[in-house]
Amino acid sequence: MAIAGAAGRAGEGGGQGGGELSGGGRSRPGDPPPTPPDAAGLSAGAAAALALLWLLVCAPGEAGCRLLTVADLFDRVIRHSGRIHSLSTALYAELEKHFPPRDNELGKPARKCHTSGMLTPNGKEYAQKIPREELTHLILKLLQAWKEPLSHFNQHHQELPDDSLSKAKQISNMVHELKTGVEKVTEKMQSMGIISNSLNGMTSSEAAGLSISNEANMMSDSDFIHCFRRDSNKVQSYLKILKCRIMPENSC
C-alpha cells in the first residue's frame, strides 16, 4: 500500500457542541444532522433516517429542501470532526484536572494507543501522495476503531463528573454520526466517479479487531481520551486534505 512507504502509527504523534437540531429551524449546508439520544443504538430504520439527513440541507419534507453537493458534504463532515476534536480536548483537560497523575506515573513510558498498529501518513506532504481511495479507507477505519471503545468507556465510567460524562457520551454519538457522514461522502464520490468502488465491504471487517481491542479498555481515562484526541485530529486533517485533492480550486 502507498501508506506504508511514509507512515507513522495512528495513536502516536500526530467548538464544543454536537449536531442538535435547534427548534426545527432550517439547517445550513455545513451543519451536522440532528443528534439522536443514543446514535450508537439506532434501529435500522432510524439509522437510515440519519443517513438521509446527511444528504439534505434541511429536514425531509421541508419546503425548499435540496440535496447537498459533494463540496457541501465535505464541509459538513469537516465541521463535525472539528467539533469532536474540540470536545475531546475539553474532556481531556477536565480529566487531567480531576485525576492528576500519581507521582510514580510522572515518568511512565509514552502512551500506546489501541490504534498504534494502524499505519498513518506523517504530515500533510505524505497524506497528499496517498491514493484517494486509501485515504478515505483510512478515515473510515479510524472512526470504526473508536466506536466500540467509546461505547465501553461510557458504560464503565459512570463515576466521572456529570459534565465529563456528558461530554464522553456526546463524543460517542458524534463519532457514530461522523462515520455515517463520511460513508455518505464516499458514496457520493463513487457515484460521481471521483473514487473507485473498491472500498465497498472493506471497512467494518478490517476494523473489527481494533474496535474490540482490550488495549483501549485497559488504558487510564486520560490516556484513553489523549489517544482519541490525537486520532480525531488526524481524521479532521485527512478530511481536509481529501477535499483539497478532489477540489483543487480551493488552493490548499
Side-chain angles (χ1 to χ4, degrees):
M1 291 177 67
I3 292 179
R9 302 294 181 177
E12 300 168 2
Q16 183 176 343
E20 297 91 344
L21 188 64
S22 55
R26 185 184 301 273
S27 59
R28 295 171 297 171
D31 288 340
T35 302
D38 182 8
L42 290 174
S43 66
L50 175 61
L52 174 62
L53 286 174
W54 271 106
L55 293 173
L56 301 172
V57 172
C58 49
E62 185 177 344
C65 203
R66 69 175 179 85
L67 291 177
L68 293 169
T69 65
V70 67
D72 290 336
L73 283 169
F74 263 111
D75 289 340
R76 173 167 285 189
V77 294
I78 289 170
R79 288 183 58 177
H80 203 60
S81 65
R83 292 186 179 101
I84 292 173
H85 182 64
S86 295
L87 200 59
S88 66
T89 298
L91 177 57
Y92 177 70
E94 289 178 8
L95 293 179
E96 286 283 274
K97 178 181 178 180
H98 288 290
F99 308 107
R102 296 186 295 271
D103 291 341
N104 63 347
E105 291 183 336
L106 294 177
K108 66 180 180 180
R111 302 170 175 89
K112 180 175 174 59
C113 304
H114 79 287
T115 53
S116 294
M118 294 175 61
L119 293 175
T120 59
N122 288 324
K124 181 178 179 180
E125 178 183 357
Y126 293 120
Q128 289 176 329
K129 297 177 181 178
I130 297 175
R132 296 169 179 173
E133 289 81 2
E134 290 189 26
L135 190 57
T136 305
H137 185 207
L138 179 57
I139 293 167
L140 288 167
K141 281 181 66 178
L142 281 169
L143 292 172
Q144 177 68 27
W146 279 101
K147 286 178 62 179
E148 184 67 25
L150 284 168
S151 178
H152 182 275
F153 182 87
N154 289 326
Q155 292 171 8
H156 295 83
H157 289 78
Q158 298 298 316
E159 76 285 355
L160 292 176
D162 290 344
D163 191 46
S164 297
L165 186 59
S166 176
K167 285 185 174 68
K169 290 180 178 178
Q170 191 174 2
I171 287 171
S172 181
N173 287 344
M174 291 174 71
V175 166
H176 178 88
E177 295 169 358
L178 182 58
K179 183 171 181 289
T180 298
V182 174
E183 288 170 347
K184 295 298 106 181
V185 176
T186 301
E187 292 172 8
K188 188 80 169 180
M189 290 191 294
Q190 289 173 334
S191 68
M192 296 173 65
I194 296 174
I195 63 174
S196 70
N197 294 326
S198 60
L199 291 175
N200 290 344
M202 295 174 63
T203 306
S204 297
S205 59
E206 289 195 4
L210 289 167
S211 296
I212 58 176
S213 170
N214 288 329
E215 291 181 51
N217 298 334
M218 294 177 65
M219 283 190 286
S220 70
D221 296 346
S222 59
D223 282 359
F224 180 88
I225 299 301
H226 176 86
C227 288
F228 174 75
R229 185 172 58 125
R230 286 183 173 182
D231 283 353
S232 68
N233 185 52
K234 287 178 179 290
V235 167
Q236 184 181 22
S237 298
Y238 297 159
L239 284 169
K240 290 179 178 178
I241 291 170
L242 188 58
K243 178 188 176 184
C244 288
R245 291 181 58 188
I246 291 170
M247 288 164 276
E249 64 272 13
N250 291 294
S251 300
C252 45

